[in-house]
Amino acid sequence: MGRHVRRSPPRAWDNKRVTSRGTTRRRAPAGDRRHKSLSTGRLIGLFFFFVLAFAAMGARLFVLQVLEAPAYAKIAAKQRVRTVDFPGRRGAIFDRSGQALALSVDQQTIYADPVNVANPKREAARLAPVLGMTRAALRIKLSAPDQFEYLARMVAPKVSRQVKKMNLAGIYLRPEAHRDYPGGRLASQVLGFAGIDGNGLAGIERQYDHILHGTPGHLTLEQDPAGRPLPQAKFHYTPPRPGTALFLTLDKTLQYFTELTLKRALTQYHAARGSAIVIRPSTGQILAMANAPDFNPNRVADSPTALQRNLAVTDVYEPGSAYKLVTASGALEEKVVTPRTRFTVPDSIAVSDRVFHDAEFHATENLSVKEIIEQSSNVGTIEIGLKLGARKLYEYERKFGFGSPTGLDFPGESGGIVTPVKDWTGPTIATVPIGQGVAVTPMQLLTAYASLANGGVWVQPKLLYATMGDNGKVERTPAPERRRILSRRTAAEMTNILKGVVKRGTGVEAQIPGYQVAGKTGTAQEPLPGGGYGGKYRATFVGFAPANRPALAVLVTLDNPTPIWGGLSAAPTFKTIMQFALRREGVAPTGNAAKAARAIEASQSGNAPGHGY
């Protein structure tokens, strides 16, 4: 018998078990199995945590480097990159011969970089008395969080030298272009003025600001937080470009004389204000345009706004008898009258619910159209207007340019006030022929008379003669607009009538020895704001010379002079300006000067004034 081997049963603590192949494996305790399961879960959880973390970081990096990169690049550039602006020099303004009327000159501007200011309190104390500022205001600027603060702009040379001598940390000087007007008050309302930042604010400076204003330049560089340029960094420089220079049609010498004469007239005739314009009828070029009182554009803050307006273009007034040009010209052009057509002219005439009078009482007279205008008879002119008719009268108002701006290209130009014929009331047919109930600018009135000097052709007035770019090339401006409003025959007839006004009518004070003058007086009551008329008057004289070959036309208007009559205040002022202008332009006399002078003396002693002025 074989030996019997007894196998004992496995013990409860035995961690081995018999496999099918007879081998044995160690069985893990239950606690170990649970620990292994927890470790695997932790690893898996940790794995997913890192996956999510890296995904979040990747997403954030994508947002930062792709989506928000431009914004952060700007922030970084702002901290690192500095741009210094160099304003373009404003274009100069010259008269027709190249004499300077407005220039840009460099003056020092004082500014601070607060980052580099070591002791704001101490530096404010040193700068305050020099700059004329309080210590507190300066200390605020010197302690500001930014890197640029203006302290004082365009200071006097004495101030800039003092500041430079102090050599204060963080305080710098740089040149800025300051607008300077060498003539002071000369043509001030025409030129206007520019502000401290170089922007045109009034007059020609404002009208042509878009071409006068230069193109600014830039210097871009990189710097450290202390504001010091980085030595290896690149910089980019774009040079500034100056603005376009302007040549005006003004003659500086004639402008000065016109202003001087106008100011003397205000004193001589105790007038509140006045305007005077000199123009070349054939080209529309304005050689002088003056208003008084005026102002100094170098010290704009010291001048009331009312003195800064170009009254000759922006303000309107009732022209009075000077407007009779429209009535007479329209009637002659429509052939309803001739210069010899006669009217019975009493001292007064009733139209609708109003009675109109001549300036002086007179018995009933028989006057021709020529005599009516020469003597400036209101009643006679109303009779001519009634014969012409309301619709035709309004038509010629518009033909002469009243009711619309002249197109001078000047800021604030008024178109005047002309009532459409459909809105006329009963008395309007009588008020319009004598220049009441309408409002015109001096510029409009002068261009209307200049159309007679041009043989019936209205020419648009102009102030801009030429431009010059930074390349030095001068370019003439386009020719002005022209339109025929009267036939040559009518223009010649009206010119002959206006010659009579100066020779023996209300305008004898406008006679110039050696030259024939054609012109018209005007005296009108100034309307009250609430309606009706007060006790103030506006005196006007407008005309051209030499009458047969006109070279120049001049208008003078005075506000409430003494005497009030245009023939006794505006006409002598016209004479002084026109006489100088003719000589300045080299216009030869049209006859023997001595003979003309004797004729003037005879006419002045032997002729009494007419019915109106």
Side-chain angles (χ1 to χ4, degrees):
M1 290 181 64
R3 190 177 178 180
H4 177 74
V5 179
R6 187 180 177 181
R7 295 182 178 178
S8 58
R11 298 174 181 175
W13 46 267
D14 194 353
N15 59 358
K16 294 183 179 179
R17 65 183 180 86
V18 179
T19 65
S20 59
R21 294 182 181 180
T23 59
T24 63
R25 285 185 181 177
R26 187 177 296 272
R27 180 180 294 174
D32 290 346
R33 290 198 298 270
R34 287 195 301 271
H35 178 72
K36 182 177 181 181
S37 176
L38 289 173
S39 298
T40 303
R42 288 173 181 171
L43 288 173
I44 294 172
L46 188 62
F47 170 76
F48 280 108
F49 170 78
F50 280 109
V51 169
L52 291 174
F54 279 107
M57 286 189 291
R60 181 59 179 161
L61 288 173
F62 177 79
V63 171
L64 291 175
Q65 296 185 355
V66 178
L67 300 181
E68 296 181 355
Y72 282 102
K74 289 181 180 179
I75 295 174
K78 186 176 181 180
Q79 296 174 343
R80 185 184 74 255
V81 178
R82 179 186 178 192
T83 300
V84 181
D85 295 327
F86 298 92
R89 185 174 294 274
R90 192 171 178 82
I93 301 178
F94 303 99
D95 81 336
R96 62 186 305 108
S97 62
Q99 297 191 63
L101 299 176
L103 298 170
S104 291
V105 296
D106 284 340
Q107 284 191 333
Q108 294 296 325
T109 284
I110 302 167
Y111 68 98
D113 182 352
V115 174
N116 292 325
V117 175
N119 191 325
K121 183 177 180 180
R122 184 183 62 204
E123 294 192 8
R126 295 187 64 186
L127 285 170
V130 178
L131 300 182
M133 299 174 64
T134 64
R135 295 185 183 187
L138 276 173
R139 189 164 59 250
I140 292 173
K141 287 180 174 289
L142 297 178
S143 304
D146 51 14
Q147 291 185 299
F148 186 93
E149 281 289 333
Y150 278 120
L151 301 184
R153 300 187 66 179
M154 302 180 190
V155 298
K158 179 181 178 181
V159 175
S160 63
R161 286 194 299 267
Q162 286 180 282
V163 174
K164 187 176 182 180
K165 191 175 180 180
M166 291 180 183
N167 195 26
L168 299 175
I171 307 300
Y172 307 100
L173 289 85
R174 75 173 184 182
E176 272 194 302
H178 168 70
R179 201 61 165 172
D180 181 69
Y181 301 90
R185 296 175 178 271
L186 185 73
S188 57
Q189 289 108 334
V190 177
L191 296 174
F193 54 89
I196 193 169
D197 292 316
N199 298 317
L201 300 179
I204 291 294
E205 293 274 26
R206 176 183 171 186
Q207 185 65 31
Y208 297 105
D209 183 63
H210 61 290
I211 59 175
L212 284 167
H213 206 287
T215 304
H218 309 281
L219 173 62
T220 303
L221 51 86
E222 295 185 41
Q223 60 186 15
D224 63 14
R228 294 168 298 198
L230 299 177
Q232 301 301 323
K234 295 181 179 180
F235 66 90
H236 180 71
Y237 175 64
T238 302
R241 293 184 60 186
T244 300
L246 305 183
F247 289 85
L248 302 185
T249 59
L250 298 181
D251 180 320
K252 187 175 182 179
T253 301
L254 182 55
Q255 176 73 25
Y256 173 78
F257 183 84
T258 302
E259 290 183 7
L260 181 64
T261 303
L262 186 62
K263 290 174 183 177
R264 287 176 176 172
L266 261 61
T267 301
Q268 181 178 354
Y269 301 111
H270 312 288
R273 59 180 183 172
S275 298
I277 313 172
V278 182
I279 193 173
R280 282 181 178 166
S282 59
T283 62
Q285 294 178 6
I286 299 170
L287 303 183
M289 182 182 290
N291 300 280
D294 52 20
F295 77 105
N296 187 345
N298 292 314
R299 303 180 64 180
V300 176
D302 299 337
S303 306
T305 305
L307 297 184
Q308 299 168 12
R309 296 202 313 271
N310 184 1
L311 304 179
V313 175
T314 63
D315 285 30
V316 298
Y317 73 106
E318 286 197 0
S321 294
Y323 203 71
K324 293 172 181 175
L325 162 79
V326 177
T327 309
S329 297
L332 291 170
E333 182 74 6
E334 295 299 319
K335 296 183 173 59
V336 298
V337 298
T338 70
R340 295 176 296 278
T341 302
R342 307 194 75 83
F343 289 86
T344 299
V345 182
D347 176 67
S348 62
I349 184 173
V351 178
S352 186
D353 58 347
R354 290 182 56 184
V355 178
F356 298 85
H357 300 268
D358 276 335
E360 295 178 348
F361 175 79
H362 63 88
T364 300
E365 298 177 311
N366 185 264
L367 300 176
S368 67
V369 170
K370 188 173 187 295
E371 292 169 333
I372 287 171
I373 302 303
E374 285 180 2
Q375 298 180 26
S376 199
S377 169
N378 290 334
V379 174
T381 307
I382 291 171
E383 291 179 332
I384 297 173
L386 290 169
K387 196 164 187 177
L388 178 60
R391 292 194 175 278
K392 283 296 181 181
L393 184 55
Y394 174 73
E395 180 183 320
Y396 280 93
E397 284 186 291
R398 301 294 292 161
K399 277 188 175 182
F400 274 101
F402 298 113
S404 301
T406 64
L408 180 60
D409 207 19
F410 192 91
E413 182 185 12
S414 173
I417 302 173
V418 172
T419 305
V421 69
K422 63 182 179 61
D423 297 327
W424 284 22
T425 60
T428 308
I429 188 61
T431 58
V432 170
I434 59 176
Q436 291 183 359
V438 296
V440 305
T441 65
M443 191 75 255
Q444 285 178 317
L445 191 58
L446 180 57
T447 54
Y449 275 81
S451 65
L452 297 182
N454 289 326
V457 176
W458 183 92
V459 178
Q460 183 182 51
K462 64 182 299 184
L463 267 170
L464 185 58
Y465 182 71
T467 61
M468 182 176 67
D470 56 355
N471 58 0
K473 183 179 179 181
V474 177
E475 295 185 5
R476 293 280 295 273
T477 54
E481 176 190 341
R482 307 169 69 91
R483 63 174 184 268
R484 178 164 290 282
I485 61 174
L486 296 173
S487 65
R488 287 187 175 275
R489 176 189 61 80
T490 299
E493 289 175 341
M494 278 305 304
T495 297
N496 190 49
I497 291 173
L498 296 179
K499 284 162 59 178
V501 171
V502 176
K503 186 175 181 180
R504 55 184 166 268
T506 60
V508 293
E509 294 292 336
Q511 294 179 11
I512 300 174
Y515 299 90
Q516 279 191 321
V517 178
K520 184 72 185 74
T521 57
T523 305
Q525 285 180 282
E526 294 188 7
L528 298 173
Y533 293 89
K536 294 183 178 181
Y537 292 81
R538 193 74 174 262
T540 301
F541 189 90
V542 54
F544 49 89
N548 293 334
R549 297 187 64 181
L552 298 170
V554 174
L555 175 141
V556 173
T557 177
L558 302 175
D559 189 357
N560 204 36
T562 303
I564 62 172
W565 310 111
L568 299 179
S569 56
T573 308
F574 163 93
K575 172 184 176 178
T576 303
I577 295 173
M578 177 64 88
Q579 194 166 23
F580 180 88
L582 290 169
R583 292 173 181 173
R584 175 73 179 164
E585 289 290 294
V587 179
T590 54
N592 184 278
K595 182 179 179 181
R598 288 194 296 271
I600 291 173
E601 292 177 1
S603 65
Q604 289 176 337
S605 60
N607 288 289
H611 300 315
Y613 294 89

